Amino acid sequence: MNQVSHTILLNAIKTDNLVLFSSEIKGCENVCFGRFPLLSLCYLYNAKKIIKNYKNKLLEVRIYKVVTEPIELYKKFKTIAGRCLRLYVKEGCFVTPLEMLALLHKDFEVKKIYKTIYKNENVINNLKTIYYIFGQDIKIDNSKIKIGRKVLSAYQKLPYKISFFASLGLMSLVCVFYLIAGFTTGLGTNISPYLVKSQAQLIQALNSSGSYVLKSDIELNSSLNISEFDGVFDGGDHTIYVKDLNSFLVVKNNGTIKNLNIVYSNTQKEISNSVGLLAQINNGTMNNVKITVDSLKLTCNKSSNNDIYITGFAQTNNGYIENCSLKTNMIVDGVGDGECMVAGFVGTNNNTVTNCTFLQESSVTTTEADVAGVVATNSFGATVNGCKNYANLCQTSQKNGWSPNVAGITMNNAGTLQNCLNKGNLSAISTNEETEANGYVYLGGICATNTSVIERCKNNANLTATSQKIEIYCGGISAYSFESSDKNNATIPNLKNCGVEGHISVETKSTDAKVYVGGIGGAFCGYINDCFSLASFEKGYTKEQYYVGTVIGLNYSIPYFNGLFYQEIFYVFPKNSFVLNQSNVGCQIAAVKRLAVEGQPIASELVYESEGLVTVEDENQIKQKEIYWNE
Amino acid sequence: MNKLKIFFITFFSLDVLAVLVFLTMLFLSWSKIIVLGNIHLILFIILLVANLGVLIYTTIVLVLNKRIKKQKSE
């Protein structure tokens, strides 16, 4: 081993060249450049690769072969040793790897290798001196060394202090701006919604998808024309005043609109397309929205290819409408050949309408436009629950071929009606005097036509139907109930715990115009469970034209049963139901119609006898029953 | 100490950048150009947690240093 090899070895350490070091190290493990063993030099020059591969081997070296110490090593060592340099001025001193690590402030490494490395008394004394000079306490206990923390100088503390104040400053900046934004304009999040105070902001809000809260009442001078709303709009119980009824406020609501009052100015208008006081399609949620229109007069130009809906909240509801209310006095004149339907809340309900109320002091009066207090059509699978109608609804019709429909809750029910109450007086009047008059009057306290479930609903108002020439179907719960012929959604009318109170007044001018009136249903087939009727009737049963029954006006019978022909097997299944006897009526079911036999209904004059349907003489007998309820 | 300096410099460069992005988003939302959403909230939480972390670390170091200094002087 010559001087050249030593230089190469030193250069390998300086450049952390593992290949070169490996090629030169053989037989040179114990080389010591003056005061510096190879491992100490590796630490000094931070030769990580060499340390990783040769650390254990070099730690085993205890006797060094000293070679010349290049001056550059001294210069580099001097800069890191500082005041500790005095320990290594004597001849024969070595800067062991342990001491070198201590001088380099690698306290963790010192602790780590202290246990395994060879050390003599001189090394331990040097370590104590080094750490004393550094101002750190050490405790040496057999094979362990404990090194205390170093006291930082003012210069060393500076980065920590700067970082402390910088973090504090930046954090404060972020928090302050976040708070300012939260309190001034809102952040558009659920926690901090945008604050809406003007018409411009309202338009921006409803055209985007953030969260918004109305902070003051707003008067709209122009139409909103919102095509789609996806966010959350909280009205904060404030009011939007709308001057002009123009189509819909929002075409499609996919988000949530809640706690909002909308007041329309008195409006008189001619329309040829559907209009609504809020949305055309609701796919989201409307909760606690109150709409008020003192006076609304619409002329509805109906065309045969375009059904027109006039609705309060949504023409089509695919979402949820909850706890909403409507107050209006509306007059609608239907002109033309098409269909026109007026519903307090929804045109076609495909999902859920809950706890909505058509308020007192409201009314809807139409000519040739069908009227329902809450929903026009309740689809299969949809639910109307806990809704109340206090509005007086009235339709007058003169046109031949037009069938006036009026219902307290829903016009057509194929879904479920639950816990609904009608307290608004209803009337349907046909003045059609054509010789070949056709059409029907349908008047139902809860619904006009029903094919499905009505549960715990009650009509508590007076019903009035008048016709010159066409037939009338009028019932306290439903005007006309029949089984659904839809193969996929086959249902049989099913009434559960429904009740009727109030007066039913029906009049027809012609003996051709039959009248089918019942306390429960005008025409009815299906189940009647736990129901009651205390309805009183203006007209009683007559063979000529008034088919009035305390329960049903017209019932379907099944003429064939088990292959045998029967005159009358009633297609009605009552259970635990009660009806108050009326002296001017005298029968529960006034007429029957055989399903499989063509022809006119057969006048029955029958007091239907079934354990499931009991006629009582005193209304208190019904009121004491468990099935009776009143709100 | 060099490593510490590098860490602090890198951290605060990113920190300042994130704060600038955060404030820009705020101003854009004030101007109703953008709607703040969950990204803004996540950025706010990251900034808060990171700065709070540094704040706690530096506080511990400085407090400990003070305590050691006091012990030594005693």
Side-chain angles (χ1 to χ4, degrees), chain A residues 14-70:
Chain A
K14 279 182 191 174
T15 55
D16 197 14
N17 189 334
L18 184 61
V19 180
L20 192 61
F21 186 83
S22 301
S23 66
E24 296 295 325
I25 191 66
K26 254 182 193 173
C28 294
E29 290 89 353
N30 59 350
V31 166
C32 182
F33 288 89
R35 288 165 287 182
F36 306 104
L38 285 182
L39 188 57
S40 297
L41 282 180
C42 289
Y43 284 129
L44 183 64
Y45 284 100
N46 198 22
K48 287 179 184 171
K49 286 184 217 164
I50 298 170
I51 291 169
K52 193 181 173 187
N53 287 278
Y54 287 92
K55 184 175 143 187
N56 293 335
K57 200 171 184 180
L58 294 174
L59 278 173
E60 288 168 5
V61 177
R62 295 185 183 186
I63 299 163
Y64 301 114
K65 182 188 167 187
V66 180
V67 296
T68 313
E69 179 183 305

Side-chain angles (χ1 to χ4, degrees), chain A residues 163-180:
Chain A
S163 301
F164 178 86
F165 287 110
S167 280
L168 193 68
L170 287 169
M171 205 168 72
S172 306
L173 192 73
V174 166
C175 288
V176 165
F177 273 90
Y178 212 70
L179 282 173
I180 290 170

